[in-house]
């Protein structure tokens, strides 16, 4: 909880004046005698632990009610961020795609109602799995009531990948069928150790791809079989996500989409006279054929639907070079988490999301404060996307309605779930090796006397799970810098001893991820967070001052945009 002593009288006065100016449309004035002006060059780059802690503790406070999409706490977070953007001296981007520091993100919210159910019929057997315990599901795209009866079709991994000579559908017409799929992607073999990225997860293994593929093929719906190993997280993650209101862009998604527990799936396949494990083995082969289950599903999905306008918050530091200032490097960190919810018993729970991602949002404010005082040749854009927890919708809207030309965007450096444990001797740059950003990262790490953390297989598909991926999909080199949550099984070399104590703190957080236990602790050592933020800012400034734009390595680009 913040205390008045956390802020100086000058800071409070400036904050109140800035808020008043934003409400009235008056230009935010500079204070006479402020210690640092936006036009004053900096001789060194120093981030303030005090500032970072104040922003972090406020954004993760119960007052902001978990910064939920479409909730009051989210509105408060946006208000705080845009006030801070003005306070530190960020300028508003030009053009009509932003209003002040805001970019509108228009989305549809759907809350699955308790009366929703799915019933399976296999021969003479009928079974209704328990919503939440055995199965979770909902609808996307603004559908209010969905009712259908459909045959079930097992489609293996549900992947169509011509470059891998892989097609799980084999020209089967899946329209009107409820697809049952495995998550992850085909595993490497002795003959093909690098198929589908080897041990690493490719985008084909992500649940988002599988929902997208089902929608492209006009299926009645899709259920993903959950296992901890294949999903890289426990049942609590989809359970939590589907118990909250879910959001989508208009027109996207399936009439029914969700997850089914492995034991529940096994019961369904057994009732249909099929061996789930045997089918899984068949699905590891290219000659796999979709299997029509001797079963049907009767589904009723009732949703409370509403239209919601959220906002990305963004501001810029104009570049200093007459030519290169037309290009930009983006720093991003989503502001949203899972919000607040009161159950039927009147118990209120808040998903504060201190690490995920009050940490990144707070760091970006402090980085912007320093960047204003040390501009680069290219323009620097600071972006706080909305609705990251809702399928990366804020960053998707940014690239679809880009207020800065995508062809003139050099890179996106994303911060999500930062190091809250302690400073390290190394820095994680997983994903940078896909482009020339890796070489820039090595240069910055050397200057900071840091080692590049060992490369480990991306077993959980971390590269595809944060906002930078939407930039990568349209051809902009991008990665998530040093994520604390998704960096494997604790590849950190902490400055402090004993190592195992600090590694345990980092690993233990995986049990708190997307739970109400992700809260701010005043005794956190923020030295690692400051280090990570400083590395990211220095990397952005390296890109911002380089005479050349970053480029993808051959064969690595997810999308193509013309470079000028």
């Amino acid at each position: 909880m913040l205390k008045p002593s956390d802020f100086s009288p000058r800071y409070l006065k400036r904050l109140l004046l800035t808020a008043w100016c934003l409400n009235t449309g008056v230009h935010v004035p500079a204070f006479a005698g402020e210690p640092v002006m936006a036009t004053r060059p900096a001789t060194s780059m120093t981030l303030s632990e005090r500032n970072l802690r104040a922003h972090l503790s406020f954004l993760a406070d119960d007052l902001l009610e978990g910064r939920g999409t479409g909730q009051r706490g989210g509105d408060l977070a946006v208000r705080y961020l845009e006030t801070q953007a003005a306070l530190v001296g960020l300028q508003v981007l030009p053009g009509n795609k932003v209003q002040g520091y805001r970019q509108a993100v228009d989305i549809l919210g759907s809350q699955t109602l308790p009366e929703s159910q799915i019933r399976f019929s296999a021969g003479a057997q009928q079974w209704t799995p328990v919503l939440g315990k055995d199965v979770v599901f909902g609808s996307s795209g603004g559908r209010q009531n969905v009712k259908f009866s459909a045959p079930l079709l097992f489609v293996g991994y549900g992947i169509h990948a011509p470059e891998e000579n892989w097609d799980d559908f084999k020209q089967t017409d899946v329209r009107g069928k409820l697809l049952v799929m495995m998550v992850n992607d085909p595993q490497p073999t002795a003959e093909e150790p690098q198929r589908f990225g080897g041990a690493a997860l490719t985008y084909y293994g992500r649940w988002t791809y599988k929902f997208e593929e089902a929608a492209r093929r006009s299926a009645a719906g899709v259920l993903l079989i959950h296992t901890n190993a294949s999903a890289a997280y426990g049942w609590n993650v989809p359970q939590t996500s589907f118990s909250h209101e879910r959001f989508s862009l208009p027109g996207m998604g399936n009439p029914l989409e969700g997850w089914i527990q492995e034991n529940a799936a096994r019961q369904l396949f057994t009732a249909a006279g099929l061996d789930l494990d045997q089918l899984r083995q068949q699905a590891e082969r290219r000659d796999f054929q979709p299997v029509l289950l001797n079963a049907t599903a009767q589904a009723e999905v009732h949703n409370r639907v509403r239209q919601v306008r959220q906002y990305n918050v963004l501001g810029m530091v104009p570049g200093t070079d007459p030519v290169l200032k037309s290009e930009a490097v983006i720093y991003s960190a989503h502001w949203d988490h899972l919000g607040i919810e009161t159950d039927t018993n009147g118990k209120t729970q808040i998903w504060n999301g201190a690490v995920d991602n009050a940490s990144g949002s707070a760091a970006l404010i402090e980085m912007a404060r320093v960047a204003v005082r040390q501009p680069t040749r290219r323009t620097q854009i600071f972006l706080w996307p909305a609705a990251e927890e809702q399928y990366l919708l804020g960053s998707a809207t940014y690239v679809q309605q880009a207020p800065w030309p995508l062809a003139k965007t050099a890179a996106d450096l994303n911060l999500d779930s930062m190091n809250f444990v302690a400073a390290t001797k190394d820095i994680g740059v997983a994903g940078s090796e896909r482009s020339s950003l890796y070489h820039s990262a090595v240069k910055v790490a050397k200057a900071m006397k840091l080692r590049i953390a060992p490369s480990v297989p991306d077993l959980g598909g971390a590269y595809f799970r944060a906002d930078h991926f939407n930039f990568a999909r349209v051809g902009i080199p991008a990665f998530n810098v040093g994520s604390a949550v998704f960096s494997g099984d604790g590849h950190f070399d902490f400055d402090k001893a004993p190592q195992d104590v600090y590694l345990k703190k980092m690993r233990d957080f995986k049990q708190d991820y997307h739970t109400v236990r992700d809260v701010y602790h005043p005794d956190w050592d923020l030295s690692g967070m400051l280090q990570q933020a400083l590395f990211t800012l220095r990397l952005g400034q390296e890109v911002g001052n380089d005479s050349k734009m970053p480029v993808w390595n051959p064969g690595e680009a997810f999308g193509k945009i013309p470079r000028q």
Side-chain angles (χ1 to χ4, degrees), residues 154-226:
F154 177 66
V155 292
Y157 285 104
I159 293 173
H160 176 64
E163 72 278 14
E164 292 277 355
N165 189 27
W166 194 278
D167 182 10
D168 283 324
F169 296 94
K170 303 296 192 298
Q171 298 184 333
T172 302
D173 185 359
V174 305
R175 288 177 294 181
K177 296 180 176 65
L178 179 60
L179 307 183
V180 183
M181 299 183 190
M182 299 155 60
V183 291
N184 216 301
D185 47 27
Q187 299 303 294
T189 65
E191 296 77 18
E192 294 183 282
Q194 291 304 313
R195 77 174 184 177
F196 285 94
L201 189 73
T202 69
Y203 187 59
Y204 292 113
R206 288 285 292 143
W207 59 266
T208 47
Y209 164 80
K210 298 172 191 294
F211 285 177
E212 291 166 3
E213 190 63 32
R216 281 190 287 268
R217 295 173 181 268
S218 301
V222 55
L223 286 176
L224 305 179
I225 301 173
H226 178 273

Side-chain angles (χ1 to χ4, degrees), residues 213-537:
E213 190 63 32
R216 281 190 287 268
R217 295 173 181 268
S218 301
V222 55
L223 286 176
L224 305 179
I225 301 173
H226 178 273
T227 70
N228 289 0
S230 62
Y233 41 70
W235 178 250
N236 67 291
V237 175
Q239 188 181 48
T240 298
S241 296
F242 278 81
S243 68
H244 288 72
E245 185 177 20
R246 298 167 62 246
F247 295 86
S248 60
L249 297 176
M252 72 178 289
N254 297 278
L256 182 148
E257 52 193 27
W259 296 70
I260 183 169
Q261 272 267 35
E262 181 181 26
N263 289 338
R266 193 178 301 281
Q267 181 177 344
L268 170 62
F269 277 67
T270 300
L274 296 168
D275 187 319
L276 176 58
D277 293 326
Q278 187 178 69
L279 289 177
R280 282 170 166 165
Q281 292 178 5
Q282 294 176 17
E284 296 292 337
R285 298 171 52 91
R286 282 189 172 84
D287 60 1
F288 167 80
Q289 295 284 339
V291 176
L292 190 64
L293 277 66
N294 181 27
T296 58
Q298 292 80 40
E300 288 190 29
V301 190
H302 301 285
N303 301 296
R304 183 172 62 248
V305 178
R306 61 182 178 131
Q307 294 183 337
V308 178
R309 170 164 285 189
Q310 296 293 268
Y311 295 96
N312 295 332
V313 179
L314 65 167
M316 69 174 186
V317 180
T320 60
D321 187 277
V323 176
L324 292 183
K325 69 179 181 181
S326 66
E327 300 172 358
V329 57
I330 298 176
Y331 310 90
S332 58
H334 73 91
W335 59 255
D336 65 301
H337 196 56
L338 300 180
I340 187 172
E341 184 178 89
T342 301
D343 63 22
T344 54
N345 297 319
K347 182 180 179 181
T348 297
Q349 289 187 304
I350 299 176
W351 282 259
N352 297 92
V355 173
D356 180 20
N357 187 34
S359 63
S361 295
L364 221 60
I365 299 171
E366 178 60 10
M367 290 161 59
R369 181 188 67 83
V370 173
V372 163
R373 292 145 181 82
Q374 195 162 331
T376 61
R377 298 170 70 195
R378 287 188 175 89
T379 296
Q380 297 172 86
I381 295 174
F382 290 82
L383 169 65
W384 292 266
E388 187 271 354
E389 301 290 358
Q390 306 296 331
Y391 317 137
L392 317 181
L393 298 182
S395 55
T397 297
Y398 179 95
V399 298
Q400 290 173 12
Q401 304 172 27
W404 197 273
L406 298 180
K408 294 286 190 177
T409 302
D412 173 59
L413 306 176
N414 192 60
L415 290 171
D416 193 343
S417 301
M418 297 180 68
N419 176 6
F420 62 96
V421 175
T424 58
K425 299 175 184 177
D426 54 10
I427 189 74
V429 296
S432 68
E433 74 281 354
R434 298 172 182 269
S435 71
S436 61
L437 287 175
Y438 178 79
H439 302 292
S440 300
V442 169
K443 181 178 179 180
V444 173
K446 184 177 180 180
M448 292 180 65
K449 295 182 171 54
L450 294 171
R451 295 189 300 270
I452 297 297
S455 177
V456 295
D458 186 5
L459 302 179
Y463 190 77
F464 316 110
R465 296 169 63 176
D467 282 313
H468 67 276
F469 183 57
N470 276 325
F471 291 90
R473 292 184 81 168
V474 296
I476 296 168
F479 74 104
N480 198 48
V481 184
S483 172
V485 176
F486 305 119
S487 54
D489 193 23
H491 288 270
F492 295 89
D493 185 5
F494 289 100
D495 272 345
K496 298 180 179 180
Q499 286 285 314
D500 58 341
V501 172
Y502 295 98
L503 287 174
K504 186 176 186 302
K505 286 185 179 180
M506 191 68 77
R507 291 168 179 165
D508 285 352
F509 176 73
K510 292 184 179 182
Q511 306 304 315
D512 298 336
Y513 169 67
H514 276 211
T515 73
V516 295
R517 297 187 301 275
D518 181 5
V519 296
Y520 168 72
H521 296 276
D523 61 350
W524 274 350
D525 177 351
L526 299 189
S527 59
M529 201 175 295
L530 284 166
Q531 180 186 59
Q532 191 176 340
L534 181 59
F535 176 85
T536 306
L537 182 57

